[in-house]
Amino acid sequence: MSFIFEIISNTPDISIITFFILCIVSLFTSAVSASFGLGGGSMLIAVLVNLLNPIAVIPIHAVIQLNSNFFRALIMWRHIQFNGMIPFFLGNLIGLSVGGQIAFNIPGYLLQGIIGIFILYSLWGSGLSKISKKSSKISFLVGIITSFTTMFVGGTGALLGPYIKGITNERRITVATHGAYMSLQHGIKIIIFGLLGFTFTPYILLIIFMIIFGVIGTWVGKYILNWMPEKFFSFGFNLVLVILAIGLIYEPIKYWISNT
């Protein structure tokens, strides 16, 4: 046991208490994602930003979210809607390898505000029916946009959410399909971070523990989802999107206030 605590204490820039706080957060956010299909990733990155070295935030977030989304998709694989996944995958290759480099030159607060406005428009704007059509071109475009953004802000589940909600018609299909799409994106992102030279080894024990707690959270969330009525899920899904969108829109406002 002392050996484990010694390894934990050697994890860069975090204390033992912070280590276990992150594990509990992983459990809770995975449960949220499994219950409503999204929200957990954005909550997790908000915590990581305050507790981890900024350089490690998005790479570590990608690994934890890959596990959370993949395990959710795995245990609900019968409900995954695979239509459009290949164009989405190809769009991710472009967005992550090319667009991500451009995203680093865009102010983070501005990008977050744009995403927030887009999410609200996707929920209630007149263009929602066009955005939500089952089309390979739309899926390809969504892949480019979301992967472009994820290299900068990390969690893009809310940005993908309206599209997935538009092409699915049942809560388990929505949650499982969202998990499968996000697994693809995070998997490619991890490979790119590795190629860019990020070393995951110093954080390996933190990653392992957060994955274990994330699996437990996903199981809990799955049971909540099965119990949840369809109307309540639809309301909760949209509510989570609205809360996340408002938080994103507030970022450029906060920046403007602090610099005036």
Side-chain angles (χ1 to χ4, degrees):
M1 183 66 69
S2 60
F3 174 71
I4 294 177
F5 278 102
E6 183 178 348
I7 296 177
I8 292 174
S9 63
N10 290 328
T11 303
D13 306 313
I14 65 171
S15 65
I16 294 176
I17 294 176
T18 301
F19 185 99
F20 286 107
I21 288 175
L22 288 174
C23 291
I24 298 301
V25 169
S26 178
L27 187 153
F28 175 76
T29 56
S30 293
V32 170
S33 290
S35 300
F36 293 104
L38 76 170
S42 298
M43 293 177 187
L44 178 61
I45 202 164
V47 175
L48 293 178
V49 164
N50 291 287
L51 297 179
L52 278 185
N53 185 322
I55 296 175
V57 169
I58 295 182
I60 299 300
H61 177 268
V63 175
I64 304 306
Q65 286 303 107
L66 171 63
N67 162 76
S68 178
N69 285 284
F70 179 75
F71 187 68
R72 182 167 82 248
L74 183 65
I75 62 177
M76 301 177 68
W77 68 270
R78 289 184 177 85
H79 300 285
I80 297 175
Q81 185 167 290
F82 290 97
N83 296 341
M85 197 168 290
I86 292 178
F88 178 79
F89 171 76
L90 296 176
N92 271 259
L93 293 179
I94 295 174
L96 289 171
S97 61
V98 180
Q101 299 301 318
I102 302 173
F104 281 105
N105 296 315
I106 299 176
Y109 65 88
L110 179 60
L111 190 60
Q112 288 174 309
I114 292 172
I115 293 170
I117 293 171
F118 174 79
I119 291 170
L120 292 180
Y121 176 76
S122 297
L123 282 172
W124 291 295
S126 60
L128 177 59
S129 59
K130 296 179 181 179
I131 293 174
S132 301
K133 283 183 179 179
K134 299 179 182 178
S135 164
S136 295
K137 292 180 180 179
I138 294 295
S139 183
F140 179 71
L141 181 61
V142 168
I144 293 176
I145 293 172
T146 57
S147 60
F148 173 95
T149 306
T150 194
M151 291 296 286
F152 192 77
V153 300
T156 53
L159 183 57
L160 181 63
Y163 169 73
I164 297 298
K165 189 67 164 57
I167 64 171
T168 56
N169 56 11
E170 198 269 340
R171 65 188 187 282
R172 285 177 288 263
I173 298 175
T174 301
V175 172
T177 303
H178 190 275
Y181 273 63
M182 291 305 296
S183 296
L184 277 176
Q185 188 169 97
H186 286 300
I188 301 170
K189 186 164 63 171
I190 291 168
I191 293 173
I192 289 178
F193 276 123
L195 293 174
L196 291 174
F198 182 82
T199 304
F200 292 91
T201 306
Y203 299 92
I204 190 65
L205 195 62
L206 174 65
I207 290 171
I208 291 172
F209 270 72
M210 289 185 72
I211 285 175
I212 292 172
F213 277 80
V215 167
I216 297 171
T218 300
W219 274 112
V220 173
K222 180 192 174 184
Y223 284 109
I224 294 174
L225 176 66
N226 288 334
W227 162 83
M228 194 184 307
E230 189 69 39
K231 288 184 178 179
F232 186 82
F233 170 80
S234 182
F235 171 79
F237 187 94
N238 290 342
L239 178 63
V240 171
L241 277 176
V242 170
I243 292 172
L244 294 175
I246 292 173
L248 289 167
I249 293 171
Y250 175 67
E251 287 302 314
I253 298 174
K254 182 175 69 175
Y255 178 84
W256 180 78
I257 292 174
S258 63
N259 286 275
T260 56

